[in-house]
Amino acid sequence: MDMKVTSMAEAFIDSREFARMTRAIEFIEREYQRQPRLAEIAKVVGLSEFHFNRLFRRWTGLTPKQYLAEVTGRAAGTALRSEPSVLDAAHSVGLSGGGRLHDLTVSLEAMTPGEIRAGGAGVNIRHGVAPTPFGTAFIAETPRGLCRLAFIDGVSDAAELKALRATWPKATFVHDDARAKTLVEIIWGHKSATLPLAVCGTNFQVQVWRALLELDPGETVSYSALARMLGQPNGARAVGNAVGANPIAWVIPCHRVLRAGGQLGGYRWGVARKQMIRRWEERRTGAS
């Protein structure tokens, strides 16, 4: 009897969760042009932001923000075919501008354990050096997507290439500065483009990098807050290590992670560069 009662109670709880997630999905589908924030969607279904975010991911496999981006991206694809410009398409689906539309096209995939064990056998990795708005960068790309972007301040790219070869010892490396320049134009330009990322990291590192990609444009977060978002309230130090191991500067926005109190903290590619990037983003988003 007890087992039946428990089973019925669990079914009742699941049915309530299902109803809430259905309302959330319907709300996002209906209101995506307003780009509602997580707090608003959570309020619609009567849950805290943290609980709603976790529950939505469990039911759909996506966070609410990822689902909103997916819905907006579908609408954007239609708009790009019918509107006269990228900017018009952005406004037609409720986005602030072409840059925001561009941000939606970034996707991240983790390399599989099998791919890592293979050491890059049979994989061509194109790499090169190109100028960016924030200094010279070393950029590398596999057929799966961008795998490394590191600022090198005009010095030799030998150290970055050595680190890449250590990760992918059996890969074929092709020097291609022209492709690096094209990637810079995609990353810092304002054209609509798909930019897949192919990263190699632990499960926790990948979780941290995904969470950074979910930040709103210009939004900052502290190490401790990021740890709480990941359900690891005591994991600020581990989060810091994962942030520091970010292999793709700028695109995975580790520069938006600040110390408690809003202090800049460290940055793998220099605190001065982090400050310049932050100020640039503030101006772009109208935060200052």
Side-chain angles (χ1 to χ4, degrees):
M1 177 64 70
D2 289 342
M3 290 179 63
K4 181 179 290 186
V5 170
T6 301
S7 178
M8 290 176 64
E10 288 175 348
F12 177 67
I13 291 171
D14 287 347
S15 68
R16 287 192 304 174
E17 288 182 356
F18 177 78
R20 279 174 161 156
M21 295 306 100
T22 298
R23 288 204 306 274
I25 289 171
E26 290 174 345
F27 180 80
I28 292 171
E29 295 274 357
R30 185 174 66 250
E31 303 291 337
Y32 75 90
Q33 288 182 308
R34 294 195 298 104
Q35 295 292 289
R37 301 295 292 266
L38 176 64
E40 181 182 358
I41 308 172
K43 186 176 180 180
V44 167
V45 297
L47 296 172
S48 69
E49 292 180 47
F50 175 77
H51 188 197
F52 171 62
N53 195 66
R54 184 174 58 181
L55 202 62
F56 193 92
R57 185 194 286 269
R58 196 177 81 195
W59 276 86
T60 68
L62 300 170
T63 65
K65 183 168 183 179
Q66 287 171 334
Y67 187 76
L68 175 61
E70 185 176 280
V71 171
T72 309
R74 290 201 304 267
T78 301
L80 282 167
R81 290 190 292 272
S82 60
E83 296 290 345
S85 72
V86 171
L87 187 61
D88 290 329
H91 286 299
S92 76
V93 295
L95 303 177
S96 59
R100 182 69 183 100
L101 183 61
H102 168 77
D103 289 343
L104 283 175
T105 65
V106 175
S107 61
L108 182 147
E109 290 187 22
M111 307 303 285
T112 67
E115 289 172 321
I116 293 172
R117 283 195 298 271
V123 176
N124 287 332
I125 299 180
R126 309 190 81 83
H127 63 91
V129 172
T132 81
F134 301 101
T136 304
F138 171 84
I139 303 175
E141 179 186 40
T142 75
R144 289 270 301 278
L146 189 69
C147 65
R148 189 173 296 255
L149 194 163
F151 296 110
I152 59 174
D153 296 315
V155 300
S156 169
D157 63 354
E160 289 296 333
L161 186 56
K162 181 179 179 180
L164 201 59
R165 288 183 183 278
T167 303
W168 306 113
K170 298 179 182 178
T172 299
F173 289 84
V174 180
H175 187 251
D176 191 344
D177 287 340
R179 178 57 182 167
K181 182 180 179 182
T182 297
L183 287 168
V184 167
E185 292 170 353
I186 292 172
I187 294 165
W188 279 278
H190 296 284
K191 298 179 181 179
S192 177
T194 299
L195 185 65
L197 311 181
V199 297
C200 179
T202 66
N203 288 338
F204 184 74
Q205 286 174 330
V206 173
Q207 287 179 30
V208 171
W209 300 336
R210 287 190 189 279
L212 291 176
L213 286 170
E214 291 178 13
L215 294 176
D216 286 328
E219 180 184 1
T220 60
V221 66
S222 68
Y223 293 97
S224 57
L226 190 54
R228 289 194 298 272
M229 287 168 55
L230 295 169
Q232 303 283 341
N234 299 317
R237 184 178 294 276
V239 163
N241 290 336
V243 169
N246 172 25
I248 305 177
W250 175 269
V251 183
I252 298 176
C254 59
H255 55 271
R256 295 185 192 161
V257 185
L258 309 178
R259 288 180 179 170
Q263 296 178 332
L264 278 180
Y267 187 55
R268 178 177 169 185
W269 296 284
V271 174
R273 180 178 279 112
K274 184 175 184 177
Q275 174 73 338
M276 288 188 290
I277 291 172
R278 292 289 310 121
R279 291 299 298 161
W280 186 91
E281 286 193 327
E282 287 172 0
R283 290 194 299 272
R284 186 185 184 194
T285 58
S288 64

